[in-house]
Amino acid sequence: MVQTTESNNVDGILQTALWNVQQTAGRLGLNPDITRRIVEPAEQIRSVIHPQVPNGEMLHAHVFLVRHNDVLGPSKGGIRMTAGVTLNEVTGLAMEMTWKTSLIGVPFGGGKAGIRYDPALLKPTEKEILIRAFTRGVRRHIGPEVYVPAPDMGTNDSDMGHIRDCVSYSDGKSIPAGCFVTGKPVVLGGIVGRREATGNGVAATIVAACERLNKKLPGLRVAVQGFGNVGSVSALAIAEKGATVVAASDITGGTYCAEGLDVVKLADHVAKTGGIKGFAGGKEITNAQVLEADCDVLIPAAGGSVITEENAPRIRAKIIAEGANAPLTPQADEILNAKGVFIIPDILCNAGGVFVSYLEYTQETQRDQMTRDEVQQRLYHRMTTTFDRVYERTQQKHQPMRHSAMDLAVTRVVDGIQSRGLLP
Ligand code: GLU
């Protein structure tokens, strides 16, 4: 079996990342040498793995690993496993990670990995074999001081557990020497609250935005596109704070209820049946209708480039919280900015995941144990103080939140380069 399908959005994410950084370099007046230094990825790995599975068949998968930048620390970012992931997509996502880690203030650079295979086609043992083959294949590029992977689309905590085991197993030791991977099961040195961290962080930025924009949470109508780890947790967290989730979708379908969906029941339905399709508590609608739903807040929490110049004019939300990475194309961004939509950019909105990955990294390095309350408190504090810094610049410069977030993130990386010195 070989997976070769290309997805439509692969180049879009890299284009969006390049557009954002070039615009920022212009705004900050960076010189061309420094601009080149922060744009070009430090290292791009492209490889193929061919593990054999129990039925005797071989799986053939293209794999990618990009370390975009390590000025502020080891490259950090998740492993995306989809049928269409490409080196370009991984490069764009690695670049976004450089800005995300910088903005949220953790001592990491940016990286990302990709395994081109549709995880839905794999039995659990086959997926484990693929993850172990990936780990062995790129082993020399993974390490606490090099690149530290985590879950991303198509991968989860069990996969991270296999990576950790693969590393310690090959060293003949019970545990690896340091933190090689984050987002692991808690029983294997993971941290409580990591799985929910991205979604909880998204909700924290929406609460902060509502405070600044004088919008009340009770009665706030929210639509969520994507009901995986990020979308479902964001929906549950924001509903718990009093908002009304009116629409939600995933790859199986969409659901709508003007009076508000019972998000707990919806999450139960998804856990039991594997998707939103067939949920009795709402009217069936399409994914496109969820994006264009009549709501106050839209959370795109699935793939990249889902809002383009084509559908942007029809978006009705007043706030967009980017739970996914690069869900808006630059053209869509411009259209929505012109309409006065308040956009909480991805590098701020979904940075809660990598922030709690940092807590996991320090916990494992120090052989410490943090409680759920500690993790929650630190996450909430970091998300809101970072939101405030970005908002303050937005007010001062009269520019969109994305520009302010990028200005702050890129400035910190450039400061890092200058503090290290430019000599080899
Ligand atoms: N994949 C997540 C992201 O895009 C988390 C990365 C991490 O924790 O390293 O931010």
Side-chain angles (χ1 to χ4, degrees):
M1 273 193 283
V2 61
Q3 292 278 305
T4 51
T5 338
E6 295 281 330
S7 109
N8 296 328
N9 301 327
V10 285
D11 289 335
I13 288 177
L14 179 57
Q15 270 166 18
T16 302
L18 287 169
W19 166 264
N20 281 333
V21 68
Q22 297 287 5
Q23 295 290 307
T24 310
R27 269 194 314 277
L28 297 176
L30 299 184
N31 81 42
D33 288 327
I34 293 289
T35 303
R36 186 168 174 181
R37 172 95 194 260
I38 60 166
V39 170
E40 284 182 13
E43 187 172 31
Q44 291 174 296
I45 313 291
R46 174 204 286 275
S47 179
V48 198
I49 51 174
H50 311 273
Q52 192 183 37
V53 287
N55 69 6
E57 244 189 274
M58 273 166 96
L59 304 178
H60 308 281
H62 293 265
V63 302
F64 313 102
L65 193 154
V66 177
R67 292 192 311 100
H68 172 254
N69 192 292
D70 60 4
V71 166
L72 299 178
S75 301
K76 190 81 191 77
I79 304 170
R80 181 161 288 202
M81 191 194 281
T82 60
V85 69
T86 64
L87 184 58
N88 271 354
E89 182 179 0
V90 173
T91 304
L93 291 165
M95 199 181 290
E96 292 288 318
M97 285 308 303
T98 300
W99 316 133
K100 200 186 292 185
T101 52
S102 171
L103 180 68
I104 207 71
V106 291
F108 291 135
K112 206 90 179 186
I115 304 175
R116 191 188 294 167
Y117 213 99
D118 181 352
L121 300 179
L122 296 168
K123 297 191 182 91
T125 318
E126 293 172 341
K127 193 177 187 204
E128 178 176 345
I129 289 170
L130 200 54
I131 289 285
R132 287 183 186 274
F134 162 82
T135 310
R136 209 175 50 240
V138 299
R139 171 67 186 85
R140 62 194 178 282
H141 305 287
I142 296 182
E145 289 114 17
V146 188
Y147 163 63
V148 185
D152 195 78
M153 210 185 275
T155 58
N156 56 29
D157 57 343
S158 314
D159 301 323
M160 302 308 117
H162 301 319
I163 293 177
R164 184 184 192 254
D165 181 65
C166 198
V167 170
S168 60
Y169 177 84
S170 60
D171 289 351
K173 298 189 173 141
S174 142
I175 55 165
C179 182
F180 279 71
V181 55
T182 62
K184 304 177 290 288
V186 174
V187 72
L188 290 183
I191 193 161
V192 283
R194 171 64 186 83
R195 193 189 66 76
E196 302 86 357
T198 311
N200 283 335
V202 169
T205 63
I206 296 172
V207 172
C210 288
E211 270 166 23
R212 297 301 191 133
L213 303 174
N214 285 324
K215 286 187 188 292
K216 302 238 172 316
L217 281 168
L220 194 81
R221 290 160 311 141
V222 182
V224 190
Q225 186 246 357
F227 210 71
N229 187 31
V230 180
S232 64
V233 176
S234 311
L236 286 162
I238 202 74
E240 207 169 273
K241 292 184 195 306
T244 307
V245 178
V246 291
S249 68
D250 65 9
I251 43 167
T252 68
T255 182
Y256 177 84
C257 179
E259 293 76 45
L261 297 162
D262 185 329
V263 193
V264 176
K265 278 198 182 134
L266 180 61
D268 276 353
H269 171 83
V270 171
K272 280 191 197 116
T273 67
I276 286 182
K277 196 178 165 57
F279 178 59
K283 186 177 105 202
E284 213 171 285
I285 58 168
T286 64
N287 187 50
Q289 286 172 314
V290 171
L291 289 172
E292 297 165 21
D294 184 13
C295 62
D296 302 298
V297 181
L298 171 65
I299 310 176
S305 311
V306 294
I307 304 176
T308 63
E309 58 193 320
E310 195 279 313
N311 58 356
R314 297 192 299 277
I315 301 290
R316 288 191 272 177
K318 283 117 207 132
I319 297 175
I320 296 181
E322 295 188 334
N325 291 315
L328 272 60
T329 63
Q331 294 82 353
D333 200 37
E334 245 166 56
I335 294 169
L336 293 164
N337 281 330
K339 274 174 60 168
V341 178
F342 186 87
I343 302 168
I344 312 170
D346 49 5
I347 61 167
L348 167 65
C349 189
N350 69 43
V354 78
F355 178 68
V356 175
S357 275
Y358 160 69
L359 298 183
E360 180 175 336
Y361 183 94
T362 53
Q363 173 182 270
E364 193 164 15
T365 308
Q366 295 165 11
R367 307 260 166 104
D368 192 6
Q369 284 179 337
M370 285 187 213
T371 63
R372 191 174 288 276
D373 278 355
E374 265 176 273
V375 172
Q376 273 289 96
Q377 246 170 38
R378 289 185 67 171
L379 169 67
Y380 189 77
H381 182 258
R382 185 64 65 101
M383 292 306 296
T384 47
T385 52
T386 308
F387 182 97
D388 288 347
R389 282 197 298 122
V390 176
Y391 189 76
E392 202 175 301
R393 187 173 176 92
T394 293
Q395 295 292 90
Q396 277 166 7
K397 300 274 176 187
H398 305 289
Q399 63 182 17
M401 288 285 278
R402 188 185 316 282
H403 294 189
S404 304
M406 282 296 290
D407 289 354
L408 295 171
V410 170
T411 300
R412 186 160 178 260
V413 174
V414 172
D415 282 353
I417 293 173
Q418 272 150 1
S419 305
R420 277 177 177 244
L422 298 174
L423 293 177

